[in-house]
């Protein structure tokens, strides 16, 4: 079997979960009626929903908090840059941490670090203080992102991987749809306290992390359903194979991070920012959910490049709209443009994740998850910083236009897999 191949050899027994390795099940077409019936999937959904609620609500709110306290757009961009820089610095340590302390302690600890500092924002809007809290929250978010995507893969067999990733993505996308657009609007209309208290929701997910741990390998991020696959720990060859999907992901998340961070500042009235983020979040959520099942039936490489083109075109539309603050009369093109950004943003997240797991192979699930999530968060952080910096001197239109060009530059990488196939 080639490295990264997920198919089963004819005649070999398979198992239905990491804990059932002593009970072989004959090969056959039978599968759970719903992906949610897979043991551990509901617990993973609770962990994802509560954890990403704490992340999503503060992503636009924390930058706005420092702006209200006297910082400029460059300082606002720095808030999410530090959050996600801390996230990336944590992510490669997550698989070894799980190997040492186990899933329950690591995921529960990550949720605590993500949620507990949120209410401390209310003490001060000083930039340095906010950056410190963002760094602590980034450690927790780094744990959640790597552990969550790895768990989604480890709970199912290879034939249902796309569906599992889609279900996990739906769980984490719902907070993006509901809380991310409302956070900035509610903060401006009713004050910042409600948003910061919602940011503590990850604490509610700690018990679900304990339940999830019961359905995963005790101290491992390897897939035990593939004992026939012999592979060394992740090395240079693995990381080189992960570069193409990671660069595509980095480009689209750079653009998405810029829209999310600055949406309240791109519009003339607060509700337009909320509406644009809602359209983007809803489109992202639905696309991540549905693209998962489709990718179990259609070769992933054939799906990537059209969404890269869509990302570049839709971001170009956003750039034209935000040369001046978006007005109420422009609500329709604003919603359409942000929704199309959300479609490409959601599709490329899941497709590049699946490409990464396939490239790394079942023995290196943790490494693939760490690299993919590092690419995601590096892109999001860089988008906030880059567009904030460009906007100071040239305006948001130029900044968003730059993100469209960066996405277009990844098209050759998106086509690479199709040519090889």
């Amino acid at each position: 079997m080639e490295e990264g191949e997920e198919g089963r050899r004819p005649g070999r027994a398979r198992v239905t979960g990491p804990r059932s390795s002593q009970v072989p099940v004959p090969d056959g077409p039978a599968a759970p009626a719903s992906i949610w019936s897979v043991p551990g999937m509901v617990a993973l959904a609770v962990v994802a929903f509560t954890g990403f609620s704490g992340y999503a609500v503060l992503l636009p709110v924390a930058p706005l908090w420092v702006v209200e306290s006297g910082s400029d757009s460059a300082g606002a961009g720095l808030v999410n840059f530090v959050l996600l820089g801390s996230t990336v610095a944590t992510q490669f340590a997550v698989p070894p941490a799980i190997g040492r302390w186990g899933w329950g302690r690591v995921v529960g600890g990550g949720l605590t670090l993500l949620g507990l500092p949120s209410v401390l924002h209310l003490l001060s809007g000083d930039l340095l203080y906010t950056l410190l809290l963002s760094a602590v929250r980034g450690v927790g978010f780094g744990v959640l992102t790597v552990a969550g995507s790895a768990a989604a893969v480890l709970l199912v067999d290879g034939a249902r991987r796309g569906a599992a990733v889609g279900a996990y993505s739906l769980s984490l996308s719902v907070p993006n749809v509901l809380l991310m657009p409302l956070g900035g609007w509610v903060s401006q209309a009713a004050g910042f306290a409600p948003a910061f208290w919602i940011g503590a929701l990850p604490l509610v997910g700690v018990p679900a992390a304990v339940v999830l741990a019961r359905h995963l390998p005790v101290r491992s991020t390897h897939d035990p359903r593939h004992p026939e696959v012999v592979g060394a720990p992740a090395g240079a060859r693995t990381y080189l194979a992960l570069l193409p999907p990671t660069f595509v992901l980095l480009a689209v998340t750079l653009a998405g991070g810029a829209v999310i961070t600055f949406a309240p500042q791109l519009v003339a009235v607060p509700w337009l920012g909320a509406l644009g983020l809602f359209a983007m979040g809803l489109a992202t959520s639905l696309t991540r959910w549905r693209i998962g099942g489709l990718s179990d039936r259609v070769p992933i490489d054939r799906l990537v490049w059209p969404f890269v083109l869509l990302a570049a075109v839709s971001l170009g539309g956003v750039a034209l709209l935000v040369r001046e603050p978006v007005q109420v009369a422009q609500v329709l093109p604003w919603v359409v443009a942000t929704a199309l950004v959300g479609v490409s943003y959601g599709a490329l997240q899941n497709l590049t994740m699946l490409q990464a797991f396939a490239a790394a192979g079942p023995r290196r699930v943790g490494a693939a998850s760490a690299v993919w999530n590092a690419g995601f968060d590096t892109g999001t952080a860089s988008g906030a910083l880059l567009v904030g910096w460009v906007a100071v001197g040239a305006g948001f239109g130029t900044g968003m236009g730059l993100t469209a060009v960066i996405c277009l530059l990844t098209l050759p990488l998106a086509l690479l897999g199709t040519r090889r196939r």
Side-chain angles (χ1 to χ4, degrees):
M1 180 180 291
E2 295 179 356
E3 179 177 301
E5 187 178 352
E6 298 300 326
R8 295 191 304 274
R9 294 177 180 177
R12 292 191 68 93
R14 64 180 177 88
V15 295
T16 58
R19 291 285 188 168
S20 57
S21 58
Q22 303 300 318
V23 186
V25 179
D27 282 326
S34 167
I35 195 67
W36 299 108
S37 66
V38 173
M41 187 59 69
V42 172
L44 175 60
V46 174
V47 168
F49 179 83
T50 56
F52 276 84
S53 292
Y55 164 77
V57 71
L58 294 193
L59 203 60
V61 167
L64 189 61
W65 178 238
V66 298
V67 169
E68 292 289 326
S69 301
S71 296
D72 60 13
S73 61
L78 195 58
V79 171
N80 284 341
F81 180 80
V82 169
L83 168 73
L84 296 170
S86 174
T87 297
V88 173
T90 301
Q91 285 166 332
F92 288 95
V94 175
I98 291 173
R100 182 172 182 179
W101 292 300
W103 283 88
R105 291 179 180 177
V106 172
V107 178
L111 290 171
T112 301
L113 290 175
L114 179 59
L116 190 59
S118 179
V119 294
L120 299 179
H121 279 287
L122 288 168
L123 298 178
S124 174
D126 177 74
L127 180 60
L128 291 179
Y129 176 75
T130 302
L131 295 180
L132 176 62
L133 292 179
S134 295
V136 175
R137 294 180 62 249
V139 173
F141 190 59
V143 171
L144 174 64
T145 52
V146 173
S149 54
V153 170
L154 293 173
L155 288 173
V156 298
D157 60 31
R160 307 202 77 192
R161 177 170 289 181
V165 169
Y168 165 70
S169 299
L170 178 64
S171 303
L172 65 87
S173 295
V174 170
N176 292 339
V177 175
L178 297 178
L179 299 178
M180 194 179 296
L182 290 178
W185 178 65
V186 169
S187 297
Q188 291 173 310
F192 286 86
F196 287 130
W197 282 106
I198 292 172
L201 267 177
L203 297 174
V204 179
V206 172
V210 177
V211 175
L212 174 65
R214 298 172 185 167
H215 301 284
L216 294 167
V218 179
R219 295 178 185 269
S220 173
T221 55
H222 296 168
D223 192 338
R225 283 177 298 249
H226 296 271
E228 73 276 15
V229 178
V230 178
R237 183 178 178 183
T238 299
Y239 292 117
L240 285 173
L242 292 171
L243 285 180
T246 301
F247 279 128
V248 173
L249 174 72
L250 191 150
V252 74
T253 52
L254 182 149
V259 175
I260 291 166
T261 299
F262 295 110
Q265 301 172 58
L266 299 177
V267 296
V269 292
W271 66 264
L272 278 174
L275 185 61
L277 284 178
F278 178 80
M280 178 178 171
L282 182 62
T284 299
S285 177
L286 293 176
T287 305
R288 290 194 71 175
W289 175 36
R290 301 309 301 170
I291 203 72
L294 179 62
S295 65
D296 284 335
R297 302 186 300 272
V298 179
I300 298 170
D301 295 335
R302 297 179 184 175
L303 298 173
V304 174
W305 69 266
F307 288 105
V308 170
L309 283 177
L310 178 62
V313 171
S314 56
L315 287 164
V318 170
L320 291 174
L321 285 170
V322 302
R323 290 176 295 177
E324 299 291 339
V326 178
Q327 303 296 320
V328 174
Q330 299 171 295
V331 60
L332 182 59
W334 167 245
V335 169
V336 170
T338 51
L340 290 176
V341 170
V343 170
S344 55
Y345 185 59
L348 291 173
Q349 285 177 48
N350 274 24
L351 294 173
T352 54
M353 180 188 291
L354 293 167
Q355 284 182 320
F357 285 126
R363 297 294 295 271
R364 292 171 287 276
V365 169
S369 181
V371 170
W372 184 90
N373 280 285
F376 183 101
D377 295 317
T378 299
T380 305
S382 300
L385 189 66
L386 176 64
V387 173
W389 177 74
V390 171
V392 171
F396 282 112
T398 301
M400 293 308 304
L402 182 59
T403 67
V405 172
I406 291 172
C407 282
L408 191 60
L409 290 176
T410 65
L411 184 60
L413 290 174
L415 292 169
L416 182 63
T418 303
R419 289 199 297 268
R420 285 179 175 175
R421 180 177 295 278

